[in-house]
Structure formats: structure tokens, C-alpha cells
Amino acid sequence: MLISIIRTILMYLFVILAVRIMGKRQLSDMQTTELVITLIIADIASIPIQNTSQPLLTGIVPILILICAEIFISVIMMKSSKIRNLICGKPEIIISDGRLCQRTLKSLRMTTEDLCVQLRQLGAYNIMDIQFCIIEPNGKLSVLLKPEKRSPNCEQLSIAVQDTGIEAVIISDGEYLKNSMRLCNVDKQWIDEILRGENLRLEDVMIMSANRLKEYHIIRKDI
């Protein structure tokens, strides 16, 4: 029993390492090759976990080969757009200049109901408001509204807006987040002064966020 637990933990850690080696994109929007590799790795990793009579190398070696293959294919796709389009596909225009491309919908085997559901998830509730709609290789939709339906921006309204940078969480559940602190150009000394001014201890803070102008918001922990 103890051996099975140890083997499971080792394979778990190795699979996490394998996914990290393949890159951050693996964790968000998977391309075709990434999805295939992930499914195969999951299947291979389960073999030495279930069968303790097999050495761990029977799972580790094939996974290492798959990682190398994925990295090799990724490099090739970066160099050649033809191979990238062949493996991952290319963007398809579903709505062009306000006109629904019915042939494209049929070739994608996508119903109008499927299209409307995805458009609503993007905040586009009226298909007549859309100028362009493109389905990306990862299956997600990109939408551009017609000019008269777009929200005006500050430049169009001639409004000067101060650049505050990104607002990031610098304290999470009583812990400093150093990467976010660097992003906001703040340090522990500044944070500690703010907390003293608010009569708070570090462990009393659930979330503290700030931006480059050192504007901050604090959410206290529930007592």
C-alpha cells in the first residue's frame, strides 16, 4: 500500500513537471497537439500507478518522448505557417460585414443555436449588431461590433485619463505577493505603513490590492 502511494505521488509530480515544461499555454488554451499529448500523458501515467509490478520508467520514458515531440512540433509550427494551419487549423470567418456565412457554419458543423450561445457569453445578444465574428483555432469566438454599436472610448470623447497601471493583489490571505508588489512599485515598508494607518495586522487582511499610483483597497478577514 505504501509503495502504491509513493508511486502515485511521484507520477503526480512528474506529470505536473511535464505540463510545466510544455509551457503556460498548455494550462489555458490548448491547441490540437497539446490536447492530444495531454490525453495520452494522462493515460500513460495511470499504467504504472495501477500496476505496481511495472517499473516507473515504463511511464516516465514515454512521457519524456511525448514532451520532446510536442516541443519539436511547436518549434516547427512557429517556423512554418502551413504546418501550423495543417495541424491546428486556421481562423474561420462566420460573420463578415454583418452577413452570416452559412457555408462556413455548415463546414464547421456549428448550429445557429451554438453560435448564439457563444455570442451571448461574449455579451453580444443581437446577431444584427455584429460586423465581424471569427472562430479561432482554439474554438473560441472573436467578435467586432458594428461601429454604431461600439462603446465610445476616452480618446473619442477627448477625455484625459491618468495611467494607473494594473491593479494587482499585493496581500492574499495574510501573505505578501512579491511579484505583484514589484508590478505596482510598492514595498513591504509602504504596505506596513498603510496597515498601521488602518489599525490592521498583516494576518487580518484577506485581500489588499494596489496600483502604480499607490491607490489601494483592503478587504478584512471575517472574524
Side-chain angles (χ1 to χ4, degrees), residues 83-133:
I83 294 178
R84 184 169 60 251
N85 291 337
L86 178 65
I87 295 177
C88 298
K90 57 183 180 180
E92 297 282 354
I93 299 177
I94 299 178
I95 298 176
S96 177
D97 281 323
R99 184 178 61 85
L100 181 65
C101 302
Q102 299 182 30
R103 286 187 178 181
T104 304
L105 274 181
K106 291 180 180 178
S107 66
L108 295 172
R109 296 185 298 278
M110 187 177 190
T111 65
T112 53
E113 288 83 0
D114 294 334
L115 175 61
C116 290
V117 167
Q118 295 195 47
L119 289 176
R120 287 195 296 270
Q121 291 175 343
L122 294 173
Y125 288 87
N126 190 343
I127 196 171
M128 304 305 297
D129 294 341
I130 299 171
Q131 183 177 13
F132 285 97
C133 177

mmCIF file of all heavy atoms in Angstrom, residues 83-133:
data_model
loop_
_atom_site.group_PDB
_atom_site.id
_atom_site.type_symbol
_atom_site.label_atom_id
_atom_site.label_comp_id
_atom_site.label_asym_id
_atom_site.label_seq_id
_atom_site.Cartn_x
_atom_site.Cartn_y
_atom_site.Cartn_z
ATOM 1 N N ILE A 83 2.352 24.381 -41.869
ATOM 2 C CA ILE A 83 2.248 23.248 -40.947
ATOM 3 C C ILE A 83 1.359 23.616 -39.767
ATOM 4 O O ILE A 83 0.565 22.800 -39.285
ATOM 5 C CB ILE A 83 3.651 22.824 -40.467
ATOM 6 C CG1 ILE A 83 4.452 22.265 -41.638
ATOM 7 C CG2 ILE A 83 3.551 21.788 -39.346
ATOM 8 C CD1 ILE A 83 5.858 21.864 -41.289
ATOM 9 N N ARG A 84 1.459 24.854 -39.290
ATOM 10 C CA ARG A 84 0.619 25.309 -38.184
ATOM 11 C C ARG A 84 -0.856 25.255 -38.559
ATOM 12 O O ARG A 84 -1.692 24.787 -37.785
ATOM 13 C CB ARG A 84 1.018 26.733 -37.778
ATOM 14 C CG ARG A 84 0.251 27.248 -36.561
ATOM 15 C CD ARG A 84 0.852 28.528 -36.024
ATOM 16 N NE ARG A 84 0.860 29.619 -36.995
ATOM 17 C CZ ARG A 84 1.954 30.090 -37.583
ATOM 18 N NH1 ARG A 84 3.131 29.567 -37.321
ATOM 19 N NH2 ARG A 84 1.884 31.087 -38.454
ATOM 20 N N ASN A 85 -1.175 25.699 -39.762
ATOM 21 C CA ASN A 85 -2.570 25.652 -40.220
ATOM 22 C C ASN A 85 -3.039 24.225 -40.432
ATOM 23 O O ASN A 85 -4.207 23.895 -40.192
ATOM 24 C CB ASN A 85 -2.723 26.439 -41.514
ATOM 25 C CG ASN A 85 -2.551 27.937 -41.311
ATOM 26 O OD1 ASN A 85 -2.743 28.447 -40.207
ATOM 27 N ND2 ASN A 85 -2.177 28.650 -42.347
ATOM 28 N N LEU A 86 -2.115 23.361 -40.888
ATOM 29 C CA LEU A 86 -2.473 21.960 -41.129
ATOM 30 C C LEU A 86 -2.801 21.242 -39.826
ATOM 31 O O LEU A 86 -3.764 20.471 -39.753
ATOM 32 C CB LEU A 86 -1.320 21.253 -41.855
ATOM 33 C CG LEU A 86 -1.521 19.757 -42.149
ATOM 34 C CD1 LEU A 86 -2.675 19.560 -43.123
ATOM 35 C CD2 LEU A 86 -0.243 19.145 -42.712
ATOM 36 N N ILE A 87 -2.008 21.492 -38.788
ATOM 37 C CA ILE A 87 -2.186 20.787 -37.511
ATOM 38 C C ILE A 87 -3.259 21.436 -36.646
ATOM 39 O O ILE A 87 -4.128 20.749 -36.101
ATOM 40 C CB ILE A 87 -0.848 20.733 -36.746
ATOM 41 C CG1 ILE A 87 0.167 19.884 -37.531
ATOM 42 C CG2 ILE A 87 -1.053 20.143 -35.349
ATOM 43 C CD1 ILE A 87 1.539 19.828 -36.899
ATOM 44 N N CYS A 88 -3.205 22.753 -36.512
ATOM 45 C CA CYS A 88 -4.102 23.458 -35.585
ATOM 46 C C CYS A 88 -5.323 24.069 -36.261
ATOM 47 O O CYS A 88 -6.252 24.494 -35.584
ATOM 48 C CB CYS A 88 -3.326 24.571 -34.863
ATOM 49 S SG CYS A 88 -1.968 23.955 -33.858
ATOM 50 N N GLY A 89 -5.298 24.131 -37.590
ATOM 51 C CA GLY A 89 -6.376 24.808 -38.289
ATOM 52 C C GLY A 89 -6.116 26.301 -38.372
ATOM 53 O O GLY A 89 -5.105 26.806 -37.871
ATOM 54 N N LYS A 90 -7.019 27.024 -38.990
ATOM 55 C CA LYS A 90 -6.871 28.468 -39.129
ATOM 56 C C LYS A 90 -8.187 29.166 -38.778
ATOM 57 O O LYS A 90 -9.246 28.525 -38.769
ATOM 58 C CB LYS A 90 -6.448 28.831 -40.549
ATOM 59 C CG LYS A 90 -7.394 28.337 -41.631
ATOM 60 C CD LYS A 90 -6.857 28.668 -43.013
ATOM 61 C CE LYS A 90 -7.807 28.171 -44.099
ATOM 62 N NZ LYS A 90 -7.293 28.497 -45.456
ATOM 63 N N PRO A 91 -8.129 30.450 -38.480
ATOM 64 C CA PRO A 91 -9.368 31.170 -38.143
ATOM 65 C C PRO A 91 -10.373 31.128 -39.292
ATOM 66 O O PRO A 91 -9.988 31.176 -40.462
ATOM 67 C CB PRO A 91 -8.878 32.604 -37.886
ATOM 68 C CG PRO A 91 -7.432 32.468 -37.569
ATOM 69 C CD PRO A 91 -6.934 31.318 -38.373
ATOM 70 N N GLU A 92 -11.633 31.013 -38.935
ATOM 71 C CA GLU A 92 -12.718 30.989 -39.938
ATOM 72 C C GLU A 92 -13.677 32.136 -39.646
ATOM 73 O O GLU A 92 -14.088 32.341 -38.505
ATOM 74 C CB GLU A 92 -13.461 29.660 -39.885
ATOM 75 C CG GLU A 92 -12.626 28.439 -40.219
ATOM 76 C CD GLU A 92 -12.404 28.258 -41.712
ATOM 77 O OE1 GLU A 92 -13.008 29.038 -42.493
ATOM 78 O OE2 GLU A 92 -11.639 27.362 -42.094
ATOM 79 N N ILE A 93 -14.023 32.875 -40.694
ATOM 80 C CA ILE A 93 -14.957 33.998 -40.551
ATOM 81 C C ILE A 93 -16.393 33.473 -40.628
ATOM 82 O O ILE A 93 -16.787 32.861 -41.620
ATOM 83 C CB ILE A 93 -14.719 35.057 -41.640
ATOM 84 C CG1 ILE A 93 -13.300 35.625 -41.514
ATOM 85 C CG2 ILE A 93 -15.750 36.177 -41.529
ATOM 86 C CD1 ILE A 93 -12.941 36.632 -42.591
ATOM 87 N N ILE A 94 -17.148 33.716 -39.568
ATOM 88 C CA ILE A 94 -18.543 33.271 -39.525
ATOM 89 C C ILE A 94 -19.483 34.396 -39.935
ATOM 90 O O ILE A 94 -20.492 34.171 -40.609
ATOM 91 C CB ILE A 94 -18.905 32.773 -38.108
ATOM 92 C CG1 ILE A 94 -18.026 31.575 -37.730
ATOM 93 C CG2 ILE A 94 -20.377 32.384 -38.025
ATOM 94 C CD1 ILE A 94 -18.269 31.051 -36.337
ATOM 95 N N ILE A 95 -19.164 35.619 -39.515
ATOM 96 C CA ILE A 95 -19.944 36.791 -39.915
ATOM 97 C C ILE A 95 -18.978 37.799 -40.527
ATOM 98 O O ILE A 95 -17.971 38.162 -39.916
ATOM 99 C CB ILE A 95 -20.669 37.432 -38.716
ATOM 100 C CG1 ILE A 95 -21.664 36.446 -38.105
ATOM 101 C CG2 ILE A 95 -21.387 38.715 -39.139
ATOM 102 C CD1 ILE A 95 -22.362 36.972 -36.858
ATOM 103 N N SER A 96 -19.265 38.219 -41.743
ATOM 104 C CA SER A 96 -18.392 39.153 -42.460
ATOM 105 C C SER A 96 -19.206 40.356 -42.915
ATOM 106 O O SER A 96 -20.184 40.207 -43.669
ATOM 107 C CB SER A 96 -17.761 38.457 -43.681
ATOM 108 O OG SER A 96 -16.976 39.358 -44.422
ATOM 109 N N ASP A 97 -18.826 41.549 -42.413
ATOM 110 C CA ASP A 97 -19.551 42.779 -42.739
ATOM 111 C C ASP A 97 -21.045 42.651 -42.468
ATOM 112 O O ASP A 97 -21.890 43.098 -43.262
ATOM 113 C CB ASP A 97 -19.313 43.178 -44.199
ATOM 114 C CG ASP A 97 -17.974 43.869 -44.385
ATOM 115 O OD1 ASP A 97 -17.574 44.631 -43.482
ATOM 116 O OD2 ASP A 97 -17.316 43.634 -45.412
ATOM 117 N N GLY A 98 -21.363 42.003 -41.351
ATOM 118 C CA GLY A 98 -22.751 41.872 -40.936
ATOM 119 C C GLY A 98 -23.515 40.751 -41.613
ATOM 120 O O GLY A 98 -24.694 40.549 -41.323
ATOM 121 N N ARG A 99 -22.853 40.002 -42.500
ATOM 122 C CA ARG A 99 -23.530 38.921 -43.230
ATOM 123 C C ARG A 99 -23.099 37.571 -42.678
ATOM 124 O O ARG A 99 -21.902 37.294 -42.551
ATOM 125 C CB ARG A 99 -23.195 39.003 -44.719
ATOM 126 C CG ARG A 99 -23.930 37.963 -45.581
ATOM 127 C CD ARG A 99 -23.584 38.141 -47.037
ATOM 128 N NE ARG A 99 -22.162 37.951 -47.271
ATOM 129 C CZ ARG A 99 -21.591 36.754 -47.466
ATOM 130 N NH1 ARG A 99 -22.337 35.651 -47.442
ATOM 131 N NH2 ARG A 99 -20.296 36.659 -47.660
ATOM 132 N N LEU A 100 -24.074 36.727 -42.349
ATOM 133 C CA LEU A 100 -23.792 35.407 -41.806
ATOM 134 C C LEU A 100 -23.301 34.483 -42.917
ATOM 135 O O LEU A 100 -23.962 34.320 -43.950
ATOM 136 C CB LEU A 100 -25.056 34.816 -41.166
ATOM 137 C CG LEU A 100 -24.918 33.438 -40.519
ATOM 138 C CD1 LEU A 100 -23.974 33.501 -39.329
ATOM 139 C CD2 LEU A 100 -26.287 32.915 -40.097
ATOM 140 N N CYS A 101 -22.139 33.880 -42.722
ATOM 141 C CA CYS A 101 -21.558 32.960 -43.707
ATOM 142 C C CYS A 101 -22.081 31.549 -43.427
ATOM 143 O O CYS A 101 -21.501 30.805 -42.626
ATOM 144 C CB CYS A 101 -20.035 32.994 -43.642
ATOM 145 S SG CYS A 101 -19.318 34.623 -43.907
ATOM 146 N N GLN A 102 -23.171 31.200 -44.066
ATOM 147 C CA GLN A 102 -23.841 29.938 -43.777
ATOM 148 C C GLN A 102 -23.010 28.727 -44.204
ATOM 149 O O GLN A 102 -23.051 27.680 -43.551
ATOM 150 C CB GLN A 102 -25.210 29.912 -44.468
ATOM 151 C CG GLN A 102 -26.143 31.025 -43.987
ATOM 152 C CD GLN A 102 -27.509 30.981 -44.632
ATOM 153 O OE1 GLN A 102 -28.002 29.907 -44.997
ATOM 154 N NE2 GLN A 102 -28.137 32.140 -44.783
ATOM 155 N N ARG A 103 -22.253 28.861 -45.285
ATOM 156 C CA ARG A 103 -21.399 27.749 -45.721
ATOM 157 C C ARG A 103 -20.346 27.419 -44.677
ATOM 158 O O ARG A 103 -20.046 26.252 -44.428
ATOM 159 C CB ARG A 103 -20.722 28.092 -47.048
ATOM 160 C CG ARG A 103 -21.654 28.042 -48.257
ATOM 161 C CD ARG A 103 -20.868 28.216 -49.539
ATOM 162 N NE ARG A 103 -21.722 28.134 -50.710
ATOM 163 C CZ ARG A 103 -21.283 28.233 -51.962
ATOM 164 N NH1 ARG A 103 -19.979 28.443 -52.184
ATOM 165 N NH2 ARG A 103 -22.120 28.138 -52.967
ATOM 166 N N THR A 104 -19.778 28.466 -44.074
ATOM 167 C CA THR A 104 -18.773 28.243 -43.043
ATOM 168 C C THR A 104 -19.384 27.545 -41.842
ATOM 169 O O THR A 104 -18.774 26.634 -41.259
ATOM 170 C CB THR A 104 -18.158 29.588 -42.605
ATOM 171 O OG1 THR A 104 -17.629 30.265 -43.738
ATOM 172 C CG2 THR A 104 -17.056 29.363 -41.589
ATOM 173 N N LEU A 105 -20.591 27.948 -41.454
ATOM 174 C CA LEU A 105 -21.279 27.290 -40.343
ATOM 175 C C LEU A 105 -21.484 25.798 -40.624
ATOM 176 O O LEU A 105 -21.251 24.951 -39.763
ATOM 177 C CB LEU A 105 -22.630 27.949 -40.088
ATOM 178 C CG LEU A 105 -22.681 29.179 -39.169
ATOM 179 C CD1 LEU A 105 -24.104 29.669 -39.027
ATOM 180 C CD2 LEU A 105 -22.078 28.887 -37.813
ATOM 181 N N LYS A 106 -21.893 25.487 -41.848
ATOM 182 C CA LYS A 106 -22.128 24.084 -42.207
ATOM 183 C C LYS A 106 -20.832 23.292 -42.214
ATOM 184 O O LYS A 106 -20.792 22.143 -41.761
ATOM 185 C CB LYS A 106 -22.815 24.011 -43.565
ATOM 186 C CG LYS A 106 -24.251 24.510 -43.567
ATOM 187 C CD LYS A 106 -24.873 24.409 -44.949
ATOM 188 C CE LYS A 106 -26.311 24.925 -44.935
ATOM 189 N NZ LYS A 106 -26.935 24.870 -46.294
ATOM 190 N N SER A 107 -19.755 23.901 -42.743
ATOM 191 C CA SER A 107 -18.469 23.187 -42.786
ATOM 192 C C SER A 107 -17.911 22.946 -41.392
ATOM 193 O O SER A 107 -17.204 21.960 -41.152
ATOM 194 C CB SER A 107 -17.461 23.979 -43.621
ATOM 195 O OG SER A 107 -17.133 25.204 -42.989
ATOM 196 N N LEU A 108 -18.235 23.839 -40.464
ATOM 197 C CA LEU A 108 -17.795 23.678 -39.077
ATOM 198 C C LEU A 108 -18.752 22.810 -38.267
ATOM 199 O O LEU A 108 -18.482 22.536 -37.094
ATOM 200 C CB LEU A 108 -17.667 25.047 -38.399
ATOM 201 C CG LEU A 108 -16.596 25.993 -38.950
ATOM 202 C CD1 LEU A 108 -16.727 27.364 -38.319
ATOM 203 C CD2 LEU A 108 -15.211 25.423 -38.695
ATOM 204 N N ARG A 109 -19.872 22.418 -38.897
ATOM 205 C CA ARG A 109 -20.923 21.646 -38.223
ATOM 206 C C ARG A 109 -21.372 22.371 -36.956
ATOM 207 O O ARG A 109 -21.517 21.784 -35.873
ATOM 208 C CB ARG A 109 -20.447 20.220 -37.913
ATOM 209 C CG ARG A 109 -20.152 19.403 -39.145
ATOM 210 C CD ARG A 109 -19.804 17.972 -38.818
ATOM 211 N NE ARG A 109 -18.591 17.884 -38.006
ATOM 212 C CZ ARG A 109 -17.358 17.923 -38.502
ATOM 213 N NH1 ARG A 109 -17.172 18.062 -39.808
ATOM 214 N NH2 ARG A 109 -16.314 17.818 -37.696
ATOM 215 N N MET A 110 -21.594 23.660 -37.111
ATOM 216 C CA MET A 110 -21.988 24.515 -35.999
ATOM 217 C C MET A 110 -23.397 25.041 -36.256
ATOM 218 O O MET A 110 -23.673 25.636 -37.305
ATOM 219 C CB MET A 110 -20.996 25.684 -35.892
ATOM 220 C CG MET A 110 -21.176 26.564 -34.675
ATOM 221 S SD MET A 110 -19.886 27.853 -34.632
ATOM 222 C CE MET A 110 -20.154 28.507 -32.994
ATOM 223 N N THR A 111 -24.295 24.818 -35.319
ATOM 224 C CA THR A 111 -25.664 25.274 -35.493
ATOM 225 C C THR A 111 -25.783 26.749 -35.114
ATOM 226 O O THR A 111 -24.915 27.299 -34.427
ATOM 227 C CB THR A 111 -26.632 24.451 -34.622
ATOM 228 O OG1 THR A 111 -26.337 24.703 -33.236
ATOM 229 C CG2 THR A 111 -26.486 22.968 -34.909
ATOM 230 N N THR A 112 -26.865 27.364 -35.549
ATOM 231 C CA THR A 112 -27.092 28.764 -35.190
ATOM 232 C C THR A 112 -27.309 28.913 -33.684
ATOM 233 O O THR A 112 -26.965 29.939 -33.101
ATOM 234 C CB THR A 112 -28.321 29.312 -35.941
ATOM 235 O OG1 THR A 112 -29.446 28.450 -35.720
ATOM 236 C CG2 THR A 112 -28.034 29.394 -37.428
ATOM 237 N N GLU A 113 -27.882 27.850 -33.061
ATOM 238 C CA GLU A 113 -28.060 27.887 -31.610
ATOM 239 C C GLU A 113 -26.710 27.917 -30.899
ATOM 240 O O GLU A 113 -26.512 28.670 -29.944
ATOM 241 C CB GLU A 113 -28.874 26.676 -31.133
ATOM 242 C CG GLU A 113 -30.353 26.726 -31.492
ATOM 243 C CD GLU A 113 -30.618 26.242 -32.924
ATOM 244 O OE1 GLU A 113 -29.641 25.875 -33.616
ATOM 245 O OE2 GLU A 113 -31.783 26.253 -33.338
ATOM 246 N N ASP A 114 -25.776 27.087 -31.381
ATOM 247 C CA ASP A 114 -24.424 27.082 -30.799
ATOM 248 C C ASP A 114 -23.774 28.451 -30.943
ATOM 249 O O ASP A 114 -23.137 28.959 -30.013
ATOM 250 C CB ASP A 114 -23.548 26.030 -31.482
ATOM 251 C CG ASP A 114 -24.027 24.612 -31.218
ATOM 252 O OD1 ASP A 114 -24.675 24.398 -30.174
ATOM 253 O OD2 ASP A 114 -23.746 23.729 -32.043
ATOM 254 N N LEU A 115 -23.944 29.046 -32.107
ATOM 255 C CA LEU A 115 -23.363 30.366 -32.364
ATOM 256 C C LEU A 115 -23.952 31.412 -31.423
ATOM 257 O O LEU A 115 -23.220 32.206 -30.818
ATOM 258 C CB LEU A 115 -23.595 30.765 -33.822
ATOM 259 C CG LEU A 115 -23.146 32.178 -34.216
ATOM 260 C CD1 LEU A 115 -21.645 32.340 -34.014
ATOM 261 C CD2 LEU A 115 -23.529 32.473 -35.670
ATOM 262 N N CYS A 116 -25.262 31.401 -31.277
ATOM 263 C CA CYS A 116 -25.922 32.401 -30.432
ATOM 264 C C CYS A 116 -25.536 32.246 -28.964
ATOM 265 O O CYS A 116 -25.381 33.238 -28.248
ATOM 266 C CB CYS A 116 -27.437 32.303 -30.595
ATOM 267 S SG CYS A 116 -28.031 32.860 -32.208
ATOM 268 N N VAL A 117 -25.369 30.996 -28.516
ATOM 269 C CA VAL A 117 -24.957 30.766 -27.129
ATOM 270 C C VAL A 117 -23.587 31.384 -26.873
ATOM 271 O O VAL A 117 -23.381 32.092 -25.876
ATOM 272 C CB VAL A 117 -24.925 29.250 -26.817
ATOM 273 C CG1 VAL A 117 -24.209 28.991 -25.498
ATOM 274 C CG2 VAL A 117 -26.337 28.689 -26.750
ATOM 275 N N GLN A 118 -22.634 31.138 -27.769
ATOM 276 C CA GLN A 118 -21.288 31.681 -27.586
ATOM 277 C C GLN A 118 -21.274 33.204 -27.703
ATOM 278 O O GLN A 118 -20.509 33.874 -27.003
ATOM 279 C CB GLN A 118 -20.321 31.063 -28.601
ATOM 280 C CG GLN A 118 -20.113 29.566 -28.395
ATOM 281 C CD GLN A 118 -18.911 29.054 -29.151
ATOM 282 O OE1 GLN A 118 -17.830 29.637 -29.113
ATOM 283 N NE2 GLN A 118 -19.094 27.952 -29.865
ATOM 284 N N LEU A 119 -22.116 33.744 -28.577
ATOM 285 C CA LEU A 119 -22.183 35.203 -28.714
ATOM 286 C C LEU A 119 -22.743 35.839 -27.450
ATOM 287 O O LEU A 119 -22.250 36.884 -26.999
ATOM 288 C CB LEU A 119 -23.060 35.576 -29.922
ATOM 289 C CG LEU A 119 -22.473 35.285 -31.300
ATOM 290 C CD1 LEU A 119 -23.493 35.612 -32.393
ATOM 291 C CD2 LEU A 119 -21.188 36.072 -31.527
ATOM 292 N N ARG A 120 -23.747 35.212 -26.858
ATOM 293 C CA ARG A 120 -24.310 35.751 -25.613
ATOM 294 C C ARG A 120 -23.285 35.732 -24.489
ATOM 295 O O ARG A 120 -23.245 36.637 -23.648
ATOM 296 C CB ARG A 120 -25.566 34.967 -25.217
ATOM 297 C CG ARG A 120 -26.784 35.255 -26.082
ATOM 298 C CD ARG A 120 -28.063 34.754 -25.425
ATOM 299 N NE ARG A 120 -28.069 33.313 -25.285
ATOM 300 C CZ ARG A 120 -28.542 32.468 -26.196
ATOM 301 N NH1 ARG A 120 -29.027 32.934 -27.339
ATOM 302 N NH2 ARG A 120 -28.532 31.158 -25.981
ATOM 303 N N GLN A 121 -22.434 34.706 -24.471
ATOM 304 C CA GLN A 121 -21.390 34.635 -23.454
ATOM 305 C C GLN A 121 -20.374 35.754 -23.616
ATOM 306 O O GLN A 121 -19.677 36.109 -22.664
ATOM 307 C CB GLN A 121 -20.688 33.273 -23.520
ATOM 308 C CG GLN A 121 -21.583 32.123 -23.079
ATOM 309 C CD GLN A 121 -20.942 30.766 -23.260
ATOM 310 O OE1 GLN A 121 -19.964 30.616 -23.995
ATOM 311 N NE2 GLN A 121 -21.474 29.757 -22.589
ATOM 312 N N LEU A 122 -20.284 36.313 -24.816
ATOM 313 C CA LEU A 122 -19.402 37.448 -25.074
ATOM 314 C C LEU A 122 -20.124 38.782 -24.919
ATOM 315 O O LEU A 122 -19.540 39.839 -25.174
ATOM 316 C CB LEU A 122 -18.808 37.343 -26.487
ATOM 317 C CG LEU A 122 -17.854 36.164 -26.730
ATOM 318 C CD1 LEU A 122 -17.478 36.089 -28.209
ATOM 319 C CD2 LEU A 122 -16.598 36.297 -25.873
ATOM 320 N N GLY A 123 -21.394 38.743 -24.523
ATOM 321 C CA GLY A 123 -22.155 39.966 -24.318
ATOM 322 C C GLY A 123 -22.827 40.500 -25.566
ATOM 323 O O GLY A 123 -23.344 41.620 -25.565
ATOM 324 N N ALA A 124 -22.833 39.709 -26.651
ATOM 325 C CA ALA A 124 -23.484 40.131 -27.893
ATOM 326 C C ALA A 124 -24.818 39.391 -28.007
ATOM 327 O O ALA A 124 -24.854 38.215 -28.401
ATOM 328 C CB ALA A 124 -22.592 39.825 -29.099
ATOM 329 N N TYR A 125 -25.896 40.065 -27.643
ATOM 330 C CA TYR A 125 -27.208 39.412 -27.600
ATOM 331 C C TYR A 125 -27.990 39.547 -28.905
ATOM 332 O O TYR A 125 -28.982 38.865 -29.098
ATOM 333 C CB TYR A 125 -28.029 39.980 -26.440
ATOM 334 C CG TYR A 125 -27.529 39.535 -25.094
ATOM 335 C CD1 TYR A 125 -26.522 40.239 -24.438
ATOM 336 C CD2 TYR A 125 -28.034 38.398 -24.483
ATOM 337 C CE1 TYR A 125 -26.045 39.829 -23.201
ATOM 338 C CE2 TYR A 125 -27.566 37.972 -23.244
ATOM 339 C CZ TYR A 125 -26.567 38.691 -22.618
ATOM 340 O OH TYR A 125 -26.088 38.278 -21.400
ATOM 341 N N ASN A 126 -27.571 40.442 -29.774
ATOM 342 C CA ASN A 126 -28.253 40.629 -31.048
ATOM 343 C C ASN A 126 -27.255 40.383 -32.179
ATOM 344 O O ASN A 126 -26.284 41.118 -32.340
ATOM 345 C CB ASN A 126 -28.825 42.051 -31.145
ATOM 346 C CG ASN A 126 -29.755 42.196 -32.341
ATOM 347 O OD1 ASN A 126 -29.755 41.382 -33.263
ATOM 348 N ND2 ASN A 126 -30.559 43.253 -32.325
ATOM 349 N N ILE A 127 -27.519 39.341 -32.965
ATOM 350 C CA ILE A 127 -26.594 38.987 -34.032
ATOM 351 C C ILE A 127 -26.509 40.076 -35.094
ATOM 352 O O ILE A 127 -25.513 40.191 -35.809
ATOM 353 C CB ILE A 127 -27.015 37.629 -34.663
ATOM 354 C CG1 ILE A 127 -25.860 37.044 -35.482
ATOM 355 C CG2 ILE A 127 -28.259 37.784 -35.513
ATOM 356 C CD1 ILE A 127 -26.111 35.635 -35.945
ATOM 357 N N MET A 128 -27.538 40.925 -35.161
ATOM 358 C CA MET A 128 -27.553 42.002 -36.150
ATOM 359 C C MET A 128 -26.602 43.138 -35.758
ATOM 360 O O MET A 128 -26.323 44.023 -36.567
ATOM 361 C CB MET A 128 -28.976 42.556 -36.318
ATOM 362 C CG MET A 128 -30.004 41.499 -36.690
ATOM 363 S SD MET A 128 -29.559 40.560 -38.174
ATOM 364 C CE MET A 128 -29.567 41.863 -39.398
ATOM 365 N N ASP A 129 -26.102 43.118 -34.517
ATOM 366 C CA ASP A 129 -25.181 44.164 -34.065
ATOM 367 C C ASP A 129 -23.727 43.852 -34.423
ATOM 368 O O ASP A 129 -22.842 44.680 -34.200
ATOM 369 C CB ASP A 129 -25.276 44.340 -32.543
ATOM 370 C CG ASP A 129 -26.636 44.872 -32.112
ATOM 371 O OD1 ASP A 129 -27.349 45.427 -32.981
ATOM 372 O OD2 ASP A 129 -26.975 44.726 -30.921
ATOM 373 N N ILE A 130 -23.470 42.669 -34.982
ATOM 374 C CA ILE A 130 -22.098 42.207 -35.186
ATOM 375 C C ILE A 130 -21.623 42.486 -36.607
ATOM 376 O O ILE A 130 -22.308 42.171 -37.578
ATOM 377 C CB ILE A 130 -22.003 40.699 -34.882
ATOM 378 C CG1 ILE A 130 -22.384 40.456 -33.423
ATOM 379 C CG2 ILE A 130 -20.599 40.168 -35.166
ATOM 380 C CD1 ILE A 130 -22.525 39.006 -33.068
ATOM 381 N N GLN A 131 -20.452 43.080 -36.703
ATOM 382 C CA GLN A 131 -19.849 43.333 -38.016
ATOM 383 C C GLN A 131 -18.990 42.151 -38.456
ATOM 384 O O GLN A 131 -19.088 41.687 -39.587
ATOM 385 C CB GLN A 131 -19.001 44.600 -37.991
ATOM 386 C CG GLN A 131 -18.411 44.963 -39.355
ATOM 387 C CD GLN A 131 -17.644 46.270 -39.316
ATOM 388 O OE1 GLN A 131 -17.350 46.797 -38.247
ATOM 389 N NE2 GLN A 131 -17.305 46.798 -40.481
ATOM 390 N N PHE A 132 -18.135 41.676 -37.549
ATOM 391 C CA PHE A 132 -17.301 40.516 -37.845
ATOM 392 C C PHE A 132 -17.332 39.543 -36.671
ATOM 393 O O PHE A 132 -17.315 39.956 -35.505
ATOM 394 C CB PHE A 132 -15.841 40.923 -38.112
ATOM 395 C CG PHE A 132 -15.617 41.555 -39.458
ATOM 396 C CD1 PHE A 132 -15.584 42.926 -39.585
ATOM 397 C CD2 PHE A 132 -15.441 40.766 -40.597
ATOM 398 C CE1 PHE A 132 -15.386 43.520 -40.820
ATOM 399 C CE2 PHE A 132 -15.247 41.349 -41.832
ATOM 400 C CZ PHE A 132 -15.212 42.732 -41.949
ATOM 401 N N CYS A 133 -17.371 38.255 -36.996
ATOM 402 C CA CYS A 133 -17.274 37.202 -35.999
ATOM 403 C C CYS A 133 -16.341 36.129 -36.553
ATOM 404 O O CYS A 133 -16.563 35.623 -37.662
ATOM 405 C CB CYS A 133 -18.642 36.611 -35.677
ATOM 406 S SG CYS A 133 -18.582 35.250 -34.500
#
